[in-house]
Amino acid sequence: VTSAVRPPLSRTAIVDATIELIGTSGPEAFTMRRLGDLLHVDATAVYRHFRDKSELLHAVGDRLLGGATEGIDLDGDWRSIVVTVCSRVREALLQHPHLAASVRDAPPLADAEFAITEALLQQFLRAGLTPRNAALAYHSVIELTVGSATIDAAVHALDPAERQQRYQAWRDAYAALPGRFTASRRVATHLYRGSANDRFVAALRQLLDGVVPPS
Amino acid sequence: VTSAVRPPLSRTAIVDATIELIGTSGPEAFTMRRLGDLLHVDATAVYRHFRDKSELLHAVGDRLLGGATEGIDLDGDWRSIVVTVCSRVREALLQHPHLAASVRDAPPLADAEFAITEALLQQFLRAGLTPRNAALAYHSVIELTVGSATIDAAVHALDPAERQQRYQAWRDAYAALPGRFTASRRVATHLYRGSANDRFVAALRQLLDGVVPPS
DNA sequence: ACCTGAACACCGTTCAAGT
DNA sequence: ACCTGAACACCGTTCAAGT
């Protein structure tokens, strides 16, 4: 009997498997043992290729952020470009909340992060901001993007029906508040409406309007 | 020999101890076993008062966010009120970064979170927004606040000298990028300038300007 | 060179038993 | 009523041993 020849592990294969694991079963499903199972390898074999779990997550982070600046027409409307890049970053962070930790700990993650920063700063300069204000705008949009991803991450893992159910439960909670919470009761029905991504884009566009008032 | 009479555990005492544990040794030092040690009690005794770890963190979160809406003159300038409340929320999250996780998982945390939501929504309604737009504005400022806290948390834990050193290292990294990163090199010297809190306030004010264009 | 498998030092949590 | 302590089902990681 000839057994199937398994190619040796590689950093690339491990990163692929990690992303698959997170994608299918949610971020909390990622453990080294489960990763080993998926790779049909002992869990500890991964340690030959990555020093530890955080180094692996780092590599995953760079992979996921890698697509954020791909194939973008850098001469289009600057607002739209910023929205697209940030939406992609948010999407990548949503896939993997652990990623937010890597992002916050050491900004210059790797190539992907530099490319994102360059793209955003470029657009802010194109929009006519001074370098100083471009830097501020960059910090602002990144903060909003990371915050949106952080907040939405848990709900994002649910399937659509469960998600809507949870949003409804939250609306109900605000609607049921006692007397002194007049504003909450009045607004309750409008909270968590639409997709989280739409809310993010709306927020980002408003932020950009504050940065460069629309003419 | 009369042994010292230990008062029975209470939710309050457990929350106090948890905050102490996090405050002194960093958030990763918090485990149920260590909490038990600090309380001079078996780790599992806590389970009589809290269903599980996440419920305990929930209560801790509410305690820390409790001060965010205290003593605020709700008839002042609405922008300033929003900035103050959000700054306090950010400050609370910064002190205890792992709290951001509890915040994101289940918005209706408890009393403190309802009070914050009410205060913010109230101000947005005062500013003339429709309930629908007030809800959007609320989501926006919370996302920015959580994002700012998430990003700044790691650096915030450093002492000022180390912090400036790290910011300088990041500026240097961007300044040293190769040819095609023109925008990054041009803006590098302006990145991470001023205090993180000032950057946050600047971002928040710009967001508010986008929400309600200044007259 | 690359992987295995036992082992270590932890986790959160349950539950019968104690007082 | 409240807490203990053993136990369970996990973790990430190390390291000698295998091939």
Side-chain angles (χ1 to χ4, degrees):
Chain A
V1 199
T2 60
S3 67
V5 177
R6 180 159 45 82
L9 277 183
S10 65
R11 288 177 65 102
T12 310
I14 294 171
V15 168
D16 286 345
T18 306
I19 291 173
E20 187 186 333
L21 199 56
I22 295 162
T24 55
S25 351
E28 78 290 348
F30 168 56
T31 70
M32 300 303 270
R33 280 173 174 80
R34 271 196 257 251
L35 179 58
D37 286 350
L38 185 60
L39 288 163
H40 297 108
V41 128
D42 191 274
T44 63
V46 172
Y47 285 83
R48 185 154 301 278
H49 302 88
F50 293 93
R51 184 140 46 102
D52 55 22
K53 193 178 176 177
S54 88
E55 192 189 297
L56 170 56
L57 287 178
H58 225 244
V60 170
D62 199 54
R63 170 79 66 87
L64 290 176
L65 290 177
T69 53
E70 260 167 32
I72 287 187
D73 173 19
L74 292 176
D75 297 322
D77 171 54
W78 73 269
R79 279 171 215 272
S80 303
I81 296 171
V82 169
V83 168
T84 301
V85 170
C86 289
S87 292
R88 290 184 182 179
V89 170
R90 176 177 171 278
E91 204 63 39
L93 292 175
L94 273 182
Q95 310 280 335
H96 195 330
H98 289 99
L99 201 60
S102 319
V103 168
R104 85 170 186 229
D105 284 4
L109 252 188
D111 301 344
E113 184 139 345
F114 285 123
I116 290 164
T117 303
E118 173 67 17
L120 294 176
L121 290 177
Q122 216 173 79
Q123 298 308 314
F124 289 131
L125 293 175
R126 274 186 69 213
L129 295 186
T130 62
R132 183 168 176 282
N133 286 335
L136 285 175
Y138 165 74
H139 289 307
S140 301
V141 300
I142 289 296
E143 284 176 5
L144 183 64
T145 303
V146 169
S148 174
T150 304
I151 288 175
D152 295 335
V155 174
H156 186 260
L158 305 173
D159 57 88
E162 276 182 303
R163 197 182 314 164
Q164 289 311 315
Q165 214 171 315
R166 181 159 310 187
Y167 283 151
Q168 187 58 50
W170 290 344
R171 279 190 288 270
D172 292 347
Y174 285 108
L177 284 174
R180 66 185 184 285
F181 293 92
T182 44
S184 298
R185 287 206 313 279
R186 203 168 143 210
V187 175
T189 185
H190 297 98
L191 291 170
Y192 301 102
R193 288 291 178 193
S195 79
N197 186 65
D198 289 347
R199 290 198 297 273
F200 168 67
V201 171
L204 181 53
R205 286 201 176 271
Q206 283 184 324
L207 176 59
L208 295 180
D209 286 347
V211 170
V212 181
S215 48
Chain B
V1 197
T2 61
S3 66
V5 177
R6 179 159 45 82
L9 276 183
S10 66
R11 288 177 65 102
T12 311
I14 294 171
V15 168
D16 286 344
T18 306
I19 290 174
E20 187 185 333
L21 199 56
I22 295 164
T24 54
S25 348
E28 79 291 347
F30 167 56
T31 70
M32 299 304 270
R33 281 173 173 80
R34 271 195 258 250
L35 179 59
D37 286 349
L38 186 61
L39 289 163
H40 297 106
V41 127
D42 190 273
T44 64
V46 172
Y47 284 83
R48 186 154 299 276
H49 302 86
F50 292 94
R51 184 140 46 104
D52 54 22
K53 191 179 178 177
S54 88
E55 191 189 299
L56 169 55
L57 287 178
H58 230 236
V60 171
D62 198 55
R63 170 80 64 86
L64 291 175
L65 290 177
T69 52
E70 260 168 31
I72 287 187
D73 174 19
L74 292 176
D75 297 321
D77 170 54
W78 73 270
R79 279 172 215 273
S80 303
I81 296 171
V82 170
V83 168
T84 301
V85 170
C86 289
S87 292
R88 289 183 182 180
V89 170
R90 177 178 171 276
E91 203 63 38
L93 293 176
L94 272 183
Q95 307 282 332
H96 304 283
H98 81 291
L99 271 187
S102 325
V103 169
R104 84 169 187 230
D105 282 5
L109 253 187
D111 300 344
E113 182 137 346
F114 284 125
I116 291 165
T117 303
E118 173 67 18
L120 294 176
L121 290 177
Q122 213 173 82
Q123 297 308 314
F124 289 132
L125 292 176
R126 273 186 70 212
L129 294 186
T130 62
R132 184 170 175 281
N133 285 335
L136 285 175
Y138 164 73
H139 289 307
S140 301
V141 301
I142 290 296
E143 285 176 5
L144 183 64
T145 303
V146 169
S148 174
T150 304
I151 289 175
D152 294 336
V155 174
H156 186 261
L158 305 173
D159 57 88
E162 275 182 302
R163 196 183 315 165
Q164 289 311 315
Q165 214 171 314
R166 180 156 314 182
Y167 282 150
Q168 187 59 50
W170 290 344
R171 278 190 289 270
D172 292 347
Y174 285 107
L177 284 174
R180 67 185 185 285
F181 293 91
T182 43
S184 297
R185 289 206 312 282
R186 199 164 147 217
V187 175
T189 184
H190 298 98
L191 292 169
Y192 300 102
R193 288 293 179 191
S195 78
N197 186 65
D198 288 348
R199 289 198 297 273
F200 168 67
V201 170
L204 181 54
R205 287 200 174 273
Q206 283 184 324
L207 176 59
L208 295 180
D209 286 347
V211 170
V212 181
S215 49

